[in-house]
Amino acid sequence: MGKQIIDTLATNDNMAGTVLNNPHTLWSFNVWTIVAIVEFIALIIAVYKTRRSTLTTENRQRKRKAMAEVVDYDNIMNSAFYAPALYKQLKGKCHPDKFAKDPVKSELALEISQLVGKNKNNIKELLALKQRAIDELNVNF
């Protein structure tokens, strides 16, 4: 039994040596490796061209327009901290149901409450709506 194992190991060792020393086997390995590398490069080029073509002229114009606009960072920071509290106040004080007896004020309150909902994260607009509610609806804050 031990002799069979040694013979099997020797045969396997000889087979490994013939595979590694056979130039035909090495050449076929190199050919397929080269084919795989060329396919990989072609795939990367195709993905790059696809991603690049998605930036159409319209997208480029939109990006230029956005980059040219001035961003009000003070409003962004103030909105992050103060807008939620003011939104809750305006939502409660300007609700149309509070003005159900007066149809004119009810319509104004409906319009103001819709604008409050649209601008719930914009402190500048909420402050303007608060002033409008004070002027037109006679609401006290």
Side-chain angles (χ1 to χ4, degrees):
M1 173 115 163
K3 185 165 174 31
Q4 287 178 336
I5 293 173
I6 292 173
D7 289 339
T8 305
L9 289 174
T11 306
N12 287 342
D13 190 36
N14 288 339
M15 288 175 67
T18 56
V19 168
L20 290 176
N21 293 330
N22 188 350
H24 214 45
T25 307
L26 289 176
W27 172 246
S28 63
F29 173 74
N30 287 338
V31 169
W32 290 113
T33 303
I34 291 169
V35 168
I37 290 170
V38 168
E39 287 178 348
F40 181 71
I41 290 171
L43 182 66
I44 288 185
I45 290 171
V47 167
Y48 175 74
K49 284 186 176 182
T50 303
R51 288 193 57 153
R52 190 167 180 232
S53 68
T54 57
L55 282 177
T56 61
T57 306
E58 182 180 316
N59 289 343
R60 287 184 188 133
Q61 288 174 350
R62 191 178 305 138
K63 183 179 177 182
R64 282 189 199 117
K65 182 181 176 186
M67 295 295 283
E69 290 180 3
V70 178
V71 178
D72 186 6
Y73 290 106
D74 288 333
N75 185 38
I76 292 171
M77 294 305 293
N78 288 333
S79 294
F81 293 108
Y82 304 118
L86 184 56
Y87 168 75
K88 286 180 184 176
Q89 279 183 342
L90 287 170
K91 184 175 69 170
K93 297 275 185 171
C94 298
H95 197 277
D97 290 346
K98 290 194 172 201
F99 304 97
K101 294 181 181 178
D102 188 357
V104 175
K105 283 189 177 182
S106 179
E107 287 295 321
L108 285 172
L110 178 64
E111 181 183 342
I112 291 173
S113 65
Q114 287 174 347
L115 290 172
V116 166
K118 286 181 183 177
N119 295 298
K120 74 186 254 182
N121 294 318
N122 187 347
I123 192 71
K124 280 187 177 180
E125 290 296 321
L126 290 177
L127 288 171
L129 290 170
K130 178 181 178 182
Q131 188 58 45
R132 184 175 170 194
I134 291 169
D135 294 341
E136 296 177 11
L137 298 176
N138 299 327
V139 177
N140 296 324
F141 285 93

